[in-house]
Amino acid sequence: MLFKRHISFFIIAALVLALFAGCKDKDADSKPAESTDTTTNISSSQEPDTSDDTETSEPDVSDSSVDSSSEKEPSSVPSSSSQSNEPHLHAYKITRIAPTCMSEGYTLYQCSCGAEKREDFLPAKGHTWGEWKVDQEPTFTELGKKERSCTVCDQTETEDIQKLSEDDFIDEIHKLVNEKRKANNIAELRYRNDIQECADICVSELMKNSENIDLYNPDYSALLNEHGIVHKHAKGNIAVGSPDENTVISNLMDKEESKNNILSSDFTGMAVGVAEKDGTYYWVLLFIG
């Protein structure tokens, strides 16, 4: 009986040990499964870090895309070296320049590269001058001035008017005397070339007596008779000093006797003698009727 009890005890103990060993195996199997779950959780928690690395590298990715696109551009755009080898074809802008008074006209061709050329030249037109206008009348001693302008471009030019010659002065004195007579309703005097020699003789005598001019009183009628000039009346006016014809007539008109001679209706003709000596001018106005 006792033996059976011992055997039963050993059998029960073996079963307990076997059962205990099986429980250990199950625990060992369950522990690796828990470790796998832990690893997965750690990997999941690290995903945000992986995301941050990608964002910071985006510029690199962007840079690489830019580089790849710029590398394609040379395939579509020729290099500068290839451009320099190609001939430039001018595209000219055409401008027609009309001729002016002083400049010639032409057709101007201009390219954007800076090249230009001129063709189809037309000659300058030249000035179209208006009438001369006298700015300063000439005198026996001074030049006059005259001016004219172009009717197109307003360019002006001036010229000197020669000093009055003896003939010019004589004509001017004759004109001024007749202006005074006309203003007083008296007939104009005609110029008598046939008594010019007598007027010239009187001037020569006047210069010889320049120191005693007040005493010079020629017999005009006798002089005319010597030269066979038929007349009824003869008088003369004397002027010394001024080279200006207007001043000569003005001074004579201020003297009563000389003024009466200029305005006398007894006279129908006149002649003028003029001469110069040492810068002094001498005149004799010879009247005849």
Side-chain angles (χ1 to χ4, degrees), residues 163-180:
K163 297 176 184 179
L164 293 176
S165 65
E166 183 176 315
D167 290 340
D168 292 330
F169 182 80
I170 290 171
D171 290 342
E172 190 65 21
I173 289 291
H174 181 217
K175 183 182 75 173
L176 292 174
V177 166
N178 279 331
E179 286 179 357
K180 298 297 184 182

Side-chain angles (χ1 to χ4, degrees), residues 101-102 126-135 146-159:
C101 294
M102 300 185 67
H127 292 298
T128 303
W129 295 111
E131 296 294 328
W132 285 107
K133 295 180 180 179
V134 177
D135 293 329
K146 63 181 180 179
E147 181 181 282
R148 64 179 180 176
S149 300
C150 176
T151 59
V152 178
C153 69
D154 293 331
Q155 175 74 24
T156 61
E157 69 172 2
T158 59
E159 282 189 5

Side-chain angles (χ1 to χ4, degrees), residues 91-156:
Y92 286 113
K93 175 185 175 182
I94 301 175
T95 305
R96 290 178 174 83
I97 308 299
T100 65
C101 294
M102 300 185 67
S103 301
E104 61 185 2
Y106 53 87
T107 301
L108 176 63
Y109 297 83
Q110 294 174 305
C111 180
S112 59
C113 70
E116 68 175 43
K117 61 180 181 178
R118 301 180 183 188
E119 297 179 354
D120 306 325
F121 289 91
L122 296 173
K125 294 181 178 180
H127 292 298
T128 303
W129 295 111
E131 296 294 328
W132 285 107
K133 295 180 180 179
V134 177
D135 293 329
Q136 178 181 334
E137 294 286 353
T139 66
F140 215 42
T141 58
E142 294 183 0
L143 295 171
K145 296 288 184 183
K146 63 181 180 179
E147 181 181 282
R148 64 179 180 176
S149 300
C150 176
T151 59
V152 178
C153 69
D154 293 331
Q155 175 74 24
T156 61

Side-chain angles (χ1 to χ4, degrees), residues 190-209:
R190 65 186 181 90
Y191 199 87
R192 294 280 299 266
N193 289 312
D194 58 335
I195 65 174
Q196 183 65 53
E197 184 178 356
C198 295
D200 292 339
I201 291 173
C202 291
V203 168
S204 295
E205 292 295 324
L206 178 62
M207 284 194 298
K208 291 177 183 179
N209 293 274

Side-chain angles (χ1 to χ4, degrees), residues 4 11 15 19 59 72 104 106 134 152-153 166 206 212 228 263 278 289:
K4 289 181 180 181
I11 293 171
L15 291 172
L19 180 61
K72 294 178 181 179
E104 61 185 2
Y106 53 87
V134 177
V152 178
C153 69
E166 183 176 315
L206 178 62
N212 298 294
L263 300 179
D278 299 330

